[in-house]
Structure formats: C-alpha cells, structure tokens
Amino acid sequence: MTIALSQTLPHFADARSFRAFRSDPRQWLPIAIDIARSHGIDVASPHVFSTGTNLVIGFGNKLILKIFPPLLRAQFVSERGSLMQLAGRLHLPIPEIVAEGERDGWPYLVITRLSGTLGSEAWPSLPEAQKERVLRQIGETIAAVQRAPLGPLAELEPRWDAFMRGQMQGCRDRHTRLGLAPKFLAGLDDLLRDAAILIPMDAPPVILIGEYIPENFLLACRDDQWSLAGLFDFGDVRAGWRDYDLLGPSAFMAAGRPGRVRSLLEGFGYAKPDFALKRRLMALMLLHHASDLNSHICIEGWQERADDLVELQELIWAE
C-alpha cells in the first residue's frame, strides 16, 4: 500500500518511452491497484493485458481499468465519449463506464468486462460459412453504430476534411517508407486524384470506430453457430465518411473471398460493389490512419497476383 502511495505516474515526451514503461508492469501495477482499490474494487487477482496501447488491467471477470498517458489523452476522450454516446443504442454488448478519474495527470476509466472469445483467437478456425455469417454481422454492426447520433463526438479533432487532406499529402511518403512495391506506387497519383472526387469531404459525418478487426471484438458459439458477442476499444474513434470502417474487415478478414466480401457489404447495406465503390475503398485503405498494405492485406500472394492498384482493388473486393 505504501509503495503505491509513494509512487507517481511519470510524464513521457514521446510514445517510445511510454511503451517501454508499459512493457514493465512492475513500474505501474501498484499504482493501478491503488486506483482500483480507491473505487472499492476487489484487487485480489489483477490481470495485465500485454497488448493494446494504454495500461489495461482486468480485475476478476467483471471489470477492467484503462489508464491513458497524457500524450494519449485524445484516446481517453474518444473512448469515454463513444461509450457514453453508444450506450443502449446497439444490439451488441459494449463496455459500460463504472468509474472515471485522473491520477498524476493520467485519465482513467473503469469499465465492465465483456464475456466471449477474443475474435483473433476464434476467427482462424471458423468454417467458411461461419466466417461469412460473422462478416455479415460486422457489416450490420458498423451500420448500427453509424446510425447513432454523433453528439459530442462531432467535435473530435481533426475534422474529416482536414484529416483526409493531411493523409493525402503524406500518402506517397508513407507507403514508400513502408516498402510498398513500385508497381503499386506508380498508380498512387491517379488514385489520389480519383480520391479527391470519390471521397466525400463535406457529407454528414458518422461515428467511425476505425478498427473493426478481430482483436477488438468478441465471439460466442451457440448451437454450433458463431456470432458477434461484444465490441470494445474505442480509442481511435473519429467522425467522417461511412465507408472508412469497411477497411479493417476487408483487409484482415474478407481475404478477397467473394462470399465474405458479399456478406460484409450486404450486412452494411451495399449491393454488388461497382468500380467506383472499389476505387473509393482502395483509396481509403491507402489513406487509413494505420495503413500498411504489406502487413494488413490477408490475401496470400497478393503482391504477385496484382500488377497495379486497379487489379489490387479487384482482388480485395472480389465478386
């Protein structure tokens, strides 16, 4: 107890030094336990989650404490605002805020812990028909989130048009640095010209989670049928054009398989994708805040199977 009270959470000027601090729970777990104890939480069996961006600790099977460093305060604002705005608006469970506060300038949330199997653990072994079923549910969930009113999330910065223009300006440098093959880089200028027309900059914005990927949702199996059982991690939420949230499941899960692609898009509300939609999605995939095609496109041998960005979009969103 005295150790926790005598320690303070430090200030970090950059993300690298924070990540080094996060990787050694001995430096911060006593403080996390002290925060939990101050809210009357049973701290007998803390579990440190090694993945993720912030300090995340589970207490029992009911509660999770998320502590955000000051340099990632925007993630706290996003997470808190999203959980409040989406509460009671979805058919799918999301965490509920139990308590919040601040320690040494580090904001934190105590949220409920959802039950289910982490998507990244269950997804690889699902039969193909079950993968199509889950992708349809993901499409439906994205659409449901986007029907919720923005509320205070409309004030999140950067605004969509500024964000997109910034991403366009840095697009070539980013993908050159990440080692995208020259045959794909060659078509980048044409794609960015199309993007300026195809991506709405001033359409009514919707809530964008940014990362509908297996690490951020839970699955459950009942009567041999796998279904979405929960959605979490709202630290990268922004407001903007609706198609942006199709990118995560397109890249990480659909794998260019027509049945999966169709299920995702139909769940979202799109019929058969036309060239303009594929072109817009290809542009958005290159402009995504975490874009790295070499790491994120889960289609075996895609670098050899496509000769340019047009062929690549046809491969990713195959019909």
Side-chain angles (χ1 to χ4, degrees), residues 101-237:
E102 194 166 295
R103 172 71 70 94
D104 304 321
W106 294 50
Y108 64 81
L109 293 170
V110 179
I111 57 177
T112 54
R113 187 170 183 173
L114 305 177
S115 59
T117 303
L118 192 63
S120 54
E121 296 175 6
W123 176 259
S125 60
L126 261 57
E128 189 63 24
Q130 297 290 304
K131 288 182 175 178
E132 291 181 9
R133 169 187 167 89
V134 169
L135 275 164
R136 184 175 297 274
Q137 294 175 348
I138 289 173
E140 293 168 350
T141 299
I142 296 171
V145 168
Q146 294 183 357
R147 284 193 295 269
L150 271 171
L153 298 176
E155 304 304 316
L156 291 176
E157 296 288 350
R159 302 299 172 94
W160 177 250
D161 58 344
F163 167 66
M164 271 291 109
R165 291 191 177 97
Q167 294 298 98
M168 287 177 183
Q169 288 172 5
C171 186
R172 175 171 289 280
D173 287 346
R174 176 190 183 93
H175 291 289
T176 301
R177 185 180 75 251
L178 292 171
L180 188 63
K183 64 180 178 179
F184 299 121
L185 288 172
L188 206 51
D189 290 341
D190 288 342
L191 184 66
L192 291 175
R193 273 194 298 272
D194 290 350
I197 300 167
L198 289 170
I199 300 172
M201 296 295 182
D202 53 3
V206 298
I207 297 173
L208 300 174
I209 303 300
E211 293 184 330
Y212 285 91
I213 56 176
E215 289 80 4
N216 290 348
F217 58 75
L218 298 169
L219 297 173
C221 188
R222 183 175 180 180
D223 299 327
D224 295 323
Q225 294 287 306
W226 284 89
S227 298
L228 276 182
L231 182 67
F232 62 93
D233 194 350
F234 297 87
D236 291 314
V237 164

Side-chain angles (χ1 to χ4, degrees), residues 61-82:
N61 60 1
K62 299 291 185 184
L63 297 174
I64 284 177
L65 170 63
K66 293 188 73 169
I67 310 173
F68 302 77
L71 58 86
L72 296 178
R73 179 175 287 272
Q75 289 202 0
F76 166 77
V77 172
S78 174
E79 179 112 12
R80 178 181 180 275
S82 301

